Amino acid sequence: MQFQKEDIPLLNRLLTRRLLVAWLFFPLLALAETHEFKLDNGMRIIVQEDHRSPVVVSQVWYQAGSIDEVNGKTGVAHVLEHMMFKGTKTIPPGQFSRIVAAAGGRENAFTGADYTAYYQQLEKSQLPLSIRLEADRMTNLQLTQEEFAKEINVVMEERRWRTEDNPQAVVNEQFQALAYTAHPYGRPIVGWMKDLQNMTVDDAREWYQTWYVPNNAILVVVGDVEAEEVLKLARKHFGPLKPRALPPRKPQAEPEQNGTRRAIVKEKAELPYLLMGYHVPVLEDVDNDWEPYALEILAGVLDGNASARLNQNLVRNQKIAINVGAGYDLIQRGKSGLFEIDGSPSEGRTAAELEEAILQEIEKIKQQGVTDDELKRVKAQVIAGDIYQRDSMFYQAMQIGRLETTGYSWRFLDKYPDKLAAVTTEQVQQVAKKYLNRDNMAIAILDPQPLAPGEKPKQPQGELQHAH
């Protein structure tokens, strides 16, 4: 599969709410051995052996994402990701991808709020090539003004296409900025356009020199490999690289919200759309926290399948919405989470009507709770829906890399099923009462502006836009 940056919101949800339980229910995967090493320069190596087919997924994760940026330089993490394909002292610009393709592999990269990662999928004998290439560009990247001038235009065009020409993406961007007034999660990963227009190659070089060091990186390898052989390759290619001291990461907390925050976004579009969310906790103490797991169950009660409450009541029964969904991600390096709900009203209905209908569904849970049958359905659904996802080596590597770069451990996978299974109906009701309140709510609404005769909307609507 080819992973794209626009898939990050969906991937984040799958890696938490719907992925992890299958670990216990897929015998081949449960038997996979996972090994962890650390080089003298501080770089960590995690290898999961999976000998079902002669392929390997190799990923290098850096604990550096948009959360680490400063005002005026938003988007620099993503820009540097693009520049990492522009050549080193020994590999000319544009040749990295060609070399991987010539070896029969596929490669790509993605930037998130909490991390940046690079990957290759190859036949197992080509793993040395992957590791050699990644070690080379970790320390020998050539950042020239000529290549930067080309690539910054590519990034700005990407922003126009993925955000400015997509009404729902504009709403999502405004919603994040509305919900987070101080926390860096309020800034777009792609960056604000003005910051991109004023970015320089020196900004990218500073980011590279600050964060792209072995002691801030994790190599994740999953596939038909022997852990000790991977360690030998890592020592050979990454071992000689020099570590550098990392800047201190200061705590960044969002002030308590004390009233509904609301925004109206006017864009040419066919349908209204709303995105609402509540500040909620994320997982910090894996052994003792319970609220994040209850919030996951709550999201599943509201939006898990066709029989979930929002779809059953608002789409099928009342026909207030053409689509509606909920999302929550308990894994966040920034230690701040949002419980999000979004949707589009049916023809003849308004966003205000849909908003009120959603609030009524939340109120029912606060007053009446959820049923034992709903709780069982959500837990069973998580298990059943994840088994096939876990069959992917790429997905296994993504799961490990994301957990590790956000400050958790891949060993969390062993604890997660029991934690989820322990959630009670009372706990689900309790988190709904505690956090899903209007004074803790932010909401952004798309007010569709009329299209000219024959004019088509910028991009089709209907794709739900949870999370960041």
Side-chain angles (χ1 to χ4, degrees):
M1 61 177 284
Q2 191 76 0
F3 184 73
Q4 303 294 337
K5 285 181 279 293
E6 66 268 26
D7 296 326
I8 288 233
L10 173 62
L11 179 72
N12 285 351
R13 296 197 302 280
L14 290 174
L15 283 172
T16 52
R17 180 172 139 214
R18 298 182 178 179
L19 172 68
L20 307 175
V21 179
W23 185 267
L24 296 183
F25 294 86
F26 208 103
L28 288 172
L29 295 177
L31 293 175
E33 291 188 67
T34 306
H35 307 264
E36 185 171 354
F37 310 98
K38 190 173 185 179
L39 302 182
D40 291 341
N41 59 17
M43 186 171 182
R44 296 173 55 220
I45 318 295
I46 300 175
V47 183
Q48 185 163 294
E49 298 182 15
D50 187 331
H51 301 289
R52 290 172 296 158
S53 58
V55 297
V56 64
V57 175
S58 178
Q59 301 178 342
V60 173
W61 292 71
Y62 295 91
Q63 195 180 59
S66 62
I67 190 176
D68 303 296
E69 296 169 350
V70 297
N71 288 337
K73 297 181 182 180
T74 63
V76 68
H78 177 233
V79 170
L80 196 277
E81 176 220 306
H82 278 241
M83 294 300 296
M84 284 285 280
F85 294 87
K86 292 301 178 180
T88 67
K89 295 177 181 178
T90 57
I91 300 176
Q95 289 300 309
F96 187 101
S97 298
R98 292 188 179 95
I99 292 171
V100 174
R106 293 183 292 178
E107 48 75 46
N108 212 325
F110 48 91
T111 305
D114 297 329
Y115 47 74
T116 308
Y118 303 82
Y119 71 85
Q120 295 82 42
Q121 295 169 278
L122 297 151
E123 195 274 330
K124 67 176 184 178
S125 66
Q126 298 297 328
L127 180 60
L129 171 67
S130 171
I131 291 180
R132 175 174 62 81
L133 290 173
E134 288 292 1
D136 182 36
R137 65 176 173 179
M138 181 183 285
T139 192
N140 294 319
L141 186 66
Q142 298 293 287
L143 289 162
T144 67
Q145 175 58 40
E146 179 183 6
E147 292 297 329
F148 178 83
K150 296 176 185 176
E151 204 60 32
I152 195 66
N153 285 323
V154 172
V155 174
M156 287 190 286
E157 182 58 31
E158 182 180 335
R159 177 184 163 81
R160 293 186 190 98
W161 179 50
R162 300 200 186 283
T163 301
E164 296 175 4
D165 289 345
N166 184 332
Q168 289 190 7
V170 174
V171 172
N172 182 63
E173 186 174 83
Q174 291 298 310
F175 167 77
Q176 299 295 335
L178 185 71
Y180 289 111
T181 60
H183 197 285
Y185 280 162
R187 299 192 294 251
I189 294 170
V190 72
W192 299 111
M193 182 61 85
K194 285 294 185 182
D195 288 351
L196 297 176
Q197 291 171 342
N198 290 291
M199 194 169 291
T200 68
V201 67
D202 287 335
D203 295 328
R205 186 175 293 114
E206 176 188 41
W207 186 264
Y208 177 69
Q209 293 173 347
T210 300
W211 300 113
Y212 279 56
V213 291
N215 48 308
N216 195 43
I218 301 171
L219 171 66
V220 178
V221 177
V222 175
D224 189 14
V225 295
E226 300 294 334
E228 290 297 330
E229 292 302 315
V230 176
L231 177 59
K232 288 179 182 178
L233 286 171
R235 282 176 174 161
K236 177 181 178 181
H237 295 288
F238 288 109
L241 307 185
K242 302 297 183 184
R244 288 195 298 272
L246 297 169
R249 302 182 195 256
K250 296 185 177 181
Q252 302 181 82
E254 179 68 17
E256 183 177 352
Q257 186 173 326
N258 55 9
T260 302
R261 298 172 185 166
R262 188 176 294 272
I264 303 296
V265 177
K266 294 187 176 183
E267 289 281 341
K268 288 187 176 182
E270 294 179 309
L271 301 171
Y273 170 73
L274 68 82
L275 174 56
M276 56 197 292
Y278 305 84
H279 291 282
V280 292
V282 296
L283 190 63
E284 295 193 49
D285 187 333
V286 172
D287 293 317
N288 297 310
D289 286 351
W290 63 266
E291 289 185 332
Y293 303 105
L295 286 163
E296 282 199 351
I297 296 293
L298 176 59
V301 168
L302 291 171
D303 171 31
N305 59 19
S307 61
R309 289 198 181 196
L310 293 180
N311 187 72
Q312 180 71 29
N313 296 338
L314 304 189
V315 177
R316 300 174 67 181
N317 294 345
Q318 300 178 41
K319 295 181 171 54
I320 292 176
I322 59 171
N323 54 48
V324 62
Y328 166 70
D329 189 350
L330 85 170
I331 302 295
Q332 302 285 350
R333 178 157 67 91
K335 304 305 179 188
S336 182
L338 290 174
F339 189 100
E340 300 181 15
I341 303 172
D342 67 347
S344 291
S346 302
E347 186 175 358
R349 298 293 193 129
T350 66
E353 288 178 292
L354 177 55
E355 175 188 346
E356 186 57 34
I358 291 171
L359 292 175
Q360 288 177 10
E361 292 299 321
I362 292 172
E363 193 62 28
K364 289 178 187 176
I365 293 177
K366 289 182 183 180
Q367 298 300 322
Q368 303 168 17
V370 300
T371 67
D372 289 333
D373 285 344
E374 284 179 307
L375 197 65
K376 291 175 183 177
R377 173 185 60 79
V378 172
K379 293 177 181 179
Q381 172 193 321
V382 171
I383 295 169
D386 295 344
I387 290 176
Y388 299 107
Q389 297 283 0
R390 284 288 303 166
D391 196 29
S392 163
M393 291 183 186
F394 178 84
Y395 211 69
Q396 294 174 60
M398 288 294 302
Q399 187 178 11
I400 293 170
R402 183 166 182 254
L403 284 169
E404 291 289 338
T405 51
T406 48
Y408 304 87
S409 168
W410 59 267
R411 294 177 179 84
F412 168 64
L413 300 174
D414 294 329
K415 299 180 179 181
Y416 179 87
D418 289 340
K419 293 293 185 181
L420 194 69
V423 173
T424 66
T425 56
E426 291 78 14
Q427 288 175 326
V428 176
Q429 183 180 23
Q430 188 174 334
V431 292
K433 286 183 176 180
K434 184 175 181 180
Y435 296 110
L436 274 56
N437 301 307
R438 295 186 191 228
D439 284 347
N440 187 37
M441 183 179 77
I443 181 167
I445 293 176
L446 172 63
D447 180 6
Q449 302 300 293
L451 302 168
E455 182 182 8
K456 295 182 178 180
K458 293 178 180 178
Q459 288 191 26
Q461 288 184 248
E463 184 79 18
L464 297 183
Q465 303 276 340
H466 303 307
H468 39 257

